[in-house]
Amino acid sequence: MIPHKANKQAVVQISNGTLTATLGSIGASLIDLRLDGVDHPLVLGWKAPSEYLRNDPYLGCIVGRCANRISNGQYALNGKTYSVERNFLGKHCLHGGSKGAARQNWRRNNQTENAVSFELEIPEGDMGFGGALSVKAHYSITSPATLNLDIRAIATGDTICNFTPHWYFNLNGDGDIGDHLLRVRAQDYLPVDDELIPLGSVEPVRNTPYDFQTLRPVGDAPLDHNFCIARERIRLKHIAQLHGLRSGVALDLHSTEPGLQIYSGDFLDSADLPTVFGAPYSTRSGLALEPQGWPDAINNPSFPSVVFMDGQEYHHQSQYMFSRLSDRHS
């Protein structure tokens, strides 16, 4: 195992010659992603490794132990009420708290030319959550141009567990993501209140701004919603497509997760911070596609469960397959 330095980001690169990923140990982050023959990054990322410790919009991090929002910073499990950090609007918990997995320096391990693992121990009581978790995120690149993410966690004590890669895509390399074409294989979504907390109902996407059942432009409607892929965790399957028409790059997303949170980056603003794109990021510079359990599931018994009991294993798989639109149409 490579020695771990708590305050120093380890930056590594994996590649199969066609797809190259730059990864950082803080948040087990995807910092940069390049497709051979394309002269720009496909994801948003900070140029300076130290920026991954900031309270930023979670660029590239793996977030958890419980991704997304927990209403009122509270949940009940086994008859006990847990109060967790309210780091969203001072009222709700977001992404496991301000010092959740995204802000931790994961241990790098088992690196090869086209794969690497990151490991993290989350103790009992961290950010107010019950139970401990041993987490491993394994990245690999396979042919022709697929980035694979495999996240496993073992619970010690009963707990909640829901990790997601918080990666922002801009397949064109610059500009607003509104002109990207998006398809999501979901018939339903979760309506939310003004504080982005699910109302508890599951509604059809048809005749709403959230209907991406056929490939169409992302447009300018703000998105920060969960699309309901399934009512339980599933076998790996195709859940979404994203096309950058100006660059000719296409992304096909496969996952085991029952939900896909899509965020259109309406509050992105990196001011003068250096980025892998060069220019600072502004509103709607990237589109986050986050396979995960449904938000606030612990407080909504009808949602797919995010509870993992003592000794139970959590297993998340996601695949990001890149190609050229010209190849698809030839």
Side-chain angles (χ1 to χ4, degrees):
M1 180 178 291
I2 296 172
H4 175 68
K5 295 183 179 180
N7 297 315
K8 185 172 177 59
Q9 164 122 283
V11 177
V12 301
Q13 196 171 84
I14 59 174
S15 178
N16 71 342
T18 302
L19 191 67
T20 300
T22 302
L23 304 159
S25 59
I26 296 174
S29 299
L30 177 63
I31 295 173
D32 199 346
L33 187 65
R34 306 280 178 140
L35 181 65
D36 186 47
V38 177
D39 62 1
H40 59 259
L42 303 179
V43 296
L44 275 55
W46 301 121
K47 192 169 181 107
S50 60
E51 292 302 330
Y52 283 87
L53 285 172
R54 288 185 339 111
N55 187 19
D56 62 21
Y58 297 94
L59 291 192
C61 305
I62 292 178
V63 300
R65 82 175 66 195
C66 191
N68 219 305
R69 293 159 182 88
I70 298 175
S71 61
N72 300 310
Q74 284 193 334
Y75 69 92
L77 182 60
N78 297 335
K80 180 179 177 180
T81 298
Y82 292 87
S83 294
V84 293
E85 188 186 36
R86 295 181 170 97
N87 61 318
F88 182 66
L89 303 178
K91 297 174 65 175
H92 313 292
C93 185
L94 177 64
H95 295 329
S98 62
K99 295 182 181 179
R103 303 285 179 247
Q104 299 301 310
N105 201 356
W106 298 48
R107 294 180 183 272
R108 175 168 53 112
N109 200 7
N110 299 327
Q111 184 180 356
T112 65
E113 182 179 359
N114 60 4
V116 68
S117 295
F118 295 94
E119 299 174 0
L120 182 67
E121 298 295 327
I122 303 178
E124 162 83 30
D126 184 63
M127 297 286 100
F129 289 90
L133 286 171
S134 296
V135 193
K136 180 178 180 179
H138 182 72
Y139 285 93
S140 63
I141 293 178
T142 52
S143 295
T146 299
L147 179 62
N148 306 285
L149 176 62
D150 186 294
I151 307 174
R152 295 176 185 264
I154 296 288
T156 302
D158 300 346
T159 188
I160 59 178
C161 182
N162 180 27
F163 289 90
T164 190
H166 206 283
W167 304 343
Y168 292 82
F169 295 92
N170 188 321
L171 302 183
N172 291 329
D174 58 23
D176 188 297
I177 47 81
D179 62 354
H180 282 59
L181 301 185
L182 175 66
R183 181 187 181 193
V184 183
R185 293 179 177 270
Q187 297 181 349
D188 302 306
Y189 79 107
L190 296 183
V192 295
D193 63 19
D194 292 341
E195 296 178 349
L196 299 174
I197 302 299
L199 298 174
S201 62
V202 178
E203 302 293 340
V205 297
R206 189 173 299 279
N207 299 321
T208 75
Y210 314 112
D211 189 351
F212 291 97
Q213 294 183 90
T214 57
L215 200 62
R216 70 170 179 86
V218 171
D220 57 6
L223 295 170
D224 200 351
H225 295 78
N226 177 77
F227 289 76
C228 304
I229 302 299
R231 292 285 186 156
E232 59 185 9
R233 310 197 74 233
I234 55 178
R235 291 190 175 187
L236 193 69
K237 77 168 188 177
H238 187 242
I239 65 171
Q241 289 174 286
L242 188 67
H243 292 178
L245 297 183
R246 286 191 286 116
S247 66
V249 176
L251 164 62
D252 286 273
L253 172 56
H254 295 69
S255 187
T256 55
E257 300 309 288
L260 179 65
Q261 185 82 11
I262 300 182
Y263 172 47
S264 50
D266 292 85
F267 296 99
L268 280 174
D269 181 6
S270 67
D272 297 323
L273 293 172
T275 72
V276 294
F277 277 48
Y281 300 131
S282 57
T283 299
R284 300 176 67 84
S285 288
L287 185 72
L289 303 175
E290 309 165 49
Q292 60 185 263
W294 297 8
D296 203 26
I298 188 64
N299 292 315
N300 287 275
S302 65
F303 290 2
S305 177
V306 293
V307 173
F308 284 79
M309 309 305 283
D310 183 30
Q312 188 176 0
E313 183 183 53
Y314 164 94
H315 188 198
H316 169 137
Q317 292 176 281
S318 289
Q319 292 181 338
Y320 297 79
M321 305 173 69
F322 296 90
S323 60
R324 299 295 191 89
L325 290 172
S326 56
D327 295 337
R328 298 164 73 108
H329 298 149
S330 61

